[in-house]
Amino acid sequence: MFCEFITWARVAMDAFTQLILLIAVVSFCTFQWLFHSVSPWVSSRISPGFLKLSHKQQIEWNSRTVSTLHAILVGLFCLYILCFDEAVNQDPVWGDPTLVKINVGITTGYLISDLLLIFYYWRAIGDKFFVVHHLAALYAYYYVLGQGMLPYFANFRLLAEFSTPCVNQRWFFEVLGYPKTSRPNIANGVLMAAVFFMVRIAVMPVYYSRMYSVYGTEAFYRVSFGGRSAWIFSSICLDIMNIMWMHKIARGCYKVLRSSQRLKAQTQENGKTD
């Protein structure tokens, strides 16, 4: 009976592994389709300025459109897991990673798709930083998908995706010729700074307090040395970069707001003079 149960468990595990692999493949194909077909077709109809862009700019436009769609999908799924997945929240190291694996599987397909596009269109969107970022993320996701460890922390990191749409929108405004002091640009800049702070900076105490709570426990030492190293080292490096980016975003946002106030004051003074 016990042997039959083990055999059944292995079959079930293999079936689930195949499902995650299928999700990653479907994700890859979907994001390729969105990049090559959907984004150009939709963008040319809702934004007349798209057709006026250079070929390289259109490639980056499509890449950022797909990036935004991925960020919204994965971010919402991540938020759902954090709020309602009791197994992962109760055991952040070895809790049932089913939903997390699905979310990470979607992201894995996207990262591989984006890497392929980066290499193929290197002259347009090639960036060594993004290559390193994607490869590091895929390495970390290996431990989640392959060994089911650290589901809470892997999912928590995907909260950062909520800042991606605003970052991409800033580029859209810039390439379409919107002045930095225009209302849409200012509104997006303030929202970008606020969201970036909330999902990347303000959540740090929550993340590291949870990490500290499991440090040294039996569950912690069950994680392989490679898994612990990838988890801790990547978290620290990523958050150092987040702090640096937050500093730049805050400074940029402050400068734009000051420029807008000065422009508004000058306009009022000219109106009074007239």
Side-chain angles (χ1 to χ4, degrees):
M1 176 71 83
F2 180 74
C3 293
E4 291 179 356
F5 173 78
I6 294 297
T7 303
W8 175 86
R10 288 178 178 175
V11 171
M13 185 181 300
D14 289 341
F16 183 69
T17 301
Q18 292 174 4
L19 174 62
I20 298 302
L21 179 60
L22 177 62
I23 289 173
V25 171
V26 171
S27 172
F28 171 87
C29 294
T30 300
F31 287 116
Q32 285 286 315
W33 173 62
L34 290 172
F35 175 88
H36 290 288
S37 301
V38 178
S39 177
W41 188 84
V42 174
S43 298
S44 63
R45 283 159 177 76
I46 66 174
S47 179
F50 174 78
L51 296 176
K52 299 177 183 178
L53 301 178
S54 67
H55 180 61
K56 289 184 178 181
Q57 288 176 326
Q58 288 184 0
I59 290 173
E60 185 165 359
W61 177 292
N62 294 329
S63 175
R64 288 180 179 273
T65 300
V66 173
S67 169
T68 296
L69 294 173
H70 163 262
I72 294 172
L73 172 63
V74 170
L76 290 175
F77 198 3
C78 163
L79 196 60
Y80 172 83
I81 293 171
L82 284 175
C83 293
F84 300 107
D85 194 331
E86 295 182 3
V88 169
N89 290 319
Q90 291 177 0
D91 185 356
V93 182
W94 293 104
D96 180 14
T98 300
L99 293 180
V100 175
K101 279 189 173 184
I102 293 174
N103 207 17
V104 170
I106 294 171
T107 299
T108 298
Y110 165 75
L111 290 175
I112 296 175
S113 171
D114 200 45
L115 270 177
L116 179 64
L117 294 173
I118 287 174
F119 287 129
Y120 189 79
Y121 297 107
W122 184 262
R123 292 186 179 181
I125 56 175
D127 191 315
K128 294 179 181 178
F129 171 78
F130 279 110
V131 172
V132 173
H133 171 272
H134 286 12
L135 291 176
L138 289 171
Y139 172 69
Y141 290 156
Y142 159 77
Y143 290 99
V144 181
L145 297 177
Q147 302 180 34
M149 61 177 64
L150 305 169
Y152 173 87
F153 299 99
N155 185 69
F156 197 97
R157 279 298 176 186
L158 291 175
L159 273 178
E161 292 296 334
F162 277 117
S163 64
T164 300
C166 289
V167 174
N168 288 335
Q169 189 60 48
R170 181 182 63 173
W171 183 88
F172 292 142
F173 283 145
E174 179 182 346
V175 80
L176 290 174
Y178 280 69
K180 290 185 177 180
T181 54
S182 64
R183 287 187 177 180
N185 232 329
I186 292 175
N188 180 73
V190 172
L191 182 62
M192 178 179 67
V195 173
F196 194 97
F197 176 78
M198 287 190 294
V199 301
R200 293 179 183 254
I201 306 299
V203 296
M204 285 185 187
V206 178
Y207 182 85
Y208 285 103
S209 63
R210 202 67 194 269
M211 179 187 287
Y212 180 77
S213 70
V214 301
Y215 183 82
T217 62
E218 180 183 352
F220 175 83
Y221 287 112
R222 283 174 57 198
V223 177
S224 65
F225 177 77
R228 286 179 301 196
S229 300
W231 169 35
I232 297 174
F233 180 73
S234 64
S235 295
I236 294 173
C237 290
L238 184 59
D239 283 328
I240 290 175
M241 288 189 292
N242 283 333
I243 292 171
M244 294 171 60
W245 287 333
M246 185 71 246
H247 180 253
K248 290 183 178 180
I249 290 173
R251 287 185 60 185
C253 185
Y254 176 75
K255 288 180 180 179
V256 170
L257 289 175
R258 285 293 300 272
S259 298
S260 176
Q261 289 175 352
R262 289 175 183 173
L263 184 61
K264 185 177 180 180
Q266 290 175 359
T267 303
Q268 290 176 347
E269 288 180 2
N270 293 336
K272 291 179 180 178
T273 303
D274 295 338

